[in-house]
Structure formats: C-alpha cells, structure tokens
Amino acid sequence: MGLLSNRIDRSSLKPGDHIYSWRTAYIYAHHGIYVGDDRVIHFTRRGQEVGTGTVLDLILVSSGPSRGHTHCPTCVPPNEGHGVVSSCLNCFLAGGVLYRFEYSVNAAHFLAKARGGTCTLAVSDSNDIVVHRAKHLLQNGFGCYDVFKNNCEDFAIYCKTGLLVLEGRTMGQSGQAVSIIGGPIAAVLSTPMRLVTTNVYGMAATAVGVYCASRYATDIGMRADVAKVAVEDLTRRLSSGLFQVIDSPLAAISLPSTS
C-alpha cells in the first residue's frame, strides 16, 4: 500500500480487512469485509452489486461483473433477502484487482487521494470485532441498500468502526458517494470566482479546494453527526421498527422513529 495505490497481494490478507475492487473504467468500487477462509461478506442491492432504481443503473450495472459471469456453486447471489451476502474471494473480485482500504490516515495522505473511497481518518476497531459485526449482519441484514446513503462501502466502514451517521437527511459514510456528488458541487460553488478572475487556473484551483474541503469535512472520522452503535443494537432497532427503514433510491437508510 502507499500514497498512489492500496493494491495488495492475497497472501497479505487478514480476517477483518476492509477490501475493495474497482470495476470497469473505475466508475465505482465494490467493498466488503474479508472474514478468513477465502470468504468476503459484502452488502448488495438484493444480490446486485450496485443500483439506484433509476436510469443511472444502465451505467452502473454495465460497469460491474457481466451477467455471464459464472459464480462458483457456493456463491450464487440471491435475488431476494436483506442484501448482505457471503462470497468467495474470486467471486467478490470478479476478475478485478484486490485493494485494501486504509484507516487512521493523516490529513495530508487523505487529501492526496484524489478519488474518495480508498481511505479514512477514522480509527478501525480490532479485527475480531470487525469480523463479528460482519457475520452478525450477514444473518440479520443492514437495512435497505441506497447508493448514496447505505451502500457497500458504508457497510464495510460500519463493520470496521461501528460508526453510523445519525442524521438521515445527510450523506452516508461512503467516500465514493462524496466524490461523485462533491465534484459537481465544487464546480458550481467555484463559478462565482468568474466575477473575481477569468484565469482558468485560478478557477480550477478553487474548485479543487472546495472538493477537497468537502471530502475532508464529510469523512466519517471528522463528522459530528455520527455515533458508535453496537451491531446487536443496530439490528434490534431495525427489526423492531425503532429505525424506520425506507427502500427508496434517494431516501435515507434509517431515520429515528417519530412514534
């Protein structure tokens, strides 16, 4: 691992590692938790790696493993259920390259990673706790999949840290989602600079600065709207309705119940 790449060899994998693999054209990366014995637990949209329920799926799904990709007998993705699945490492990678997500990085290292979804300032819990959370969620689910609020990266980050964003109207933990939305926002916010300077380099520098600031401020390790939630408490609240789960492409994964 290093500043330019988090690529690793399979021989260096340890149970509790947060791993990911970029899909076609680096449009998105699929994340999961390695739990040992060549198994990865990861979060999907009813067996589909990524989805919004909108026309965006034409781009996202086409970037993932092809429909002709043959899964091994123990890794056939379910079409129904809560979306948390266990796959062998080969099926998880789907022919892609193996990367390890980094935790406890410093601010300079974090900002040097131009693309979100590769590292965080947050501190990881011990590997045995991480594996326990992943296996518990495999049996009990992680709420409804939402590409912006509750995706595979959010699942893996929760397993590693136990941290959840409590405010349902804001972005989830995912650095990928922040990168996707942060770029256009940075461009929009830097537009008023045209009133100050017509220098394209100055405007570009402003846009980059806004983008980096948004990534830094929304990282799970920096946010004030997060709390440590025990996995048993999380699934108990989900099953009892204390969290109101909403299955909508642009809705929050969970909101405090008003009843």
Side-chain angles (χ1 to χ4, degrees):
M1 291 194 302
L3 183 61
L4 298 179
S5 174
N6 296 351
R7 184 171 179 171
I8 61 171
D9 294 322
R10 295 186 181 214
S11 59
S12 68
L13 274 177
K14 304 182 300 295
D17 278 348
H18 173 174
I19 61 175
Y20 63 96
S21 182
W22 291 103
R23 297 318 193 206
T24 303
Y26 291 85
I27 291 178
Y28 76 96
H30 190 51
H31 294 245
I33 298 294
Y34 181 72
V35 295
D37 298 323
D38 199 44
R39 306 300 298 181
V40 182
I41 297 176
H42 50 116
F43 187 39
T44 66
R45 191 174 188 261
R46 298 186 182 92
Q48 180 178 295
E49 276 190 6
V50 66
T52 64
T54 70
V55 70
L56 288 176
D57 288 353
L58 295 176
I59 299 175
L60 296 172
V61 175
S62 66
S63 302
S66 66
R67 294 183 181 273
H69 175 75
T70 303
H71 289 265
C72 68
T74 61
C75 297
V76 177
N79 294 321
E80 300 297 336
H82 52 57
V84 181
V85 298
S86 174
S87 304
C88 71
L89 184 58
N90 282 337
C91 287
F92 173 81
L93 293 175
V97 177
L98 175 64
Y99 297 86
R100 181 188 288 135
F101 195 97
E102 295 181 277
Y103 286 80
S104 302
V105 301
N106 59 44
H109 184 108
F110 179 83
L111 292 174
K113 297 279 191 179
R115 181 72 179 265
T118 61
C119 62
T120 179
L121 302 158
V123 177
S124 171
D125 291 326
S126 63
N127 287 336
D128 58 334
I129 292 177
V130 175
V131 171
H132 168 71
R133 287 187 185 123
K135 290 184 174 179
H136 185 84
L137 294 173
L138 176 62
Q139 299 300 319
N140 297 277
F142 190 60
C144 293
Y145 184 96
D146 185 293
V147 71
F148 295 118
K149 303 279 184 112
N150 197 41
N151 58 40
C152 58
E153 186 184 345
D154 293 315
F155 169 84
I157 289 175
Y158 171 74
C159 288
K160 290 288 285 185
T161 66
L163 297 174
L164 282 178
V165 177
L166 298 182
E167 174 54 66
R169 291 186 296 271
T170 60
M171 186 66 62
Q173 299 103 297
S174 171
Q176 289 190 92
V178 172
S179 292
I180 292 171
I181 294 179
I185 290 178
V188 170
L189 293 180
S190 64
T191 300
M193 281 296 293
R194 294 178 182 175
L195 301 177
V196 179
T197 178
T198 58
N199 188 307
V200 66
Y201 298 108
M203 292 179 60
T206 301
V208 170
V210 172
Y211 170 71
C212 290
S214 68
R215 280 190 58 224
Y216 185 80
T218 55
D219 181 72
I220 192 70
M222 293 298 297
R223 296 175 65 151
D225 59 343
V226 298
K228 198 95 167 179
V229 180
V231 68
E232 293 82 5
D233 189 37
L234 171 63
T235 54
R236 178 183 62 82
R237 292 181 179 222
L238 285 170
S239 63
S240 65
L242 292 177
F243 279 138
Q244 185 178 3
V245 182
I246 303 172
D247 190 4
S248 170
L250 296 179
I253 63 162
S254 57
L255 297 172
S257 175
T258 56
S259 58

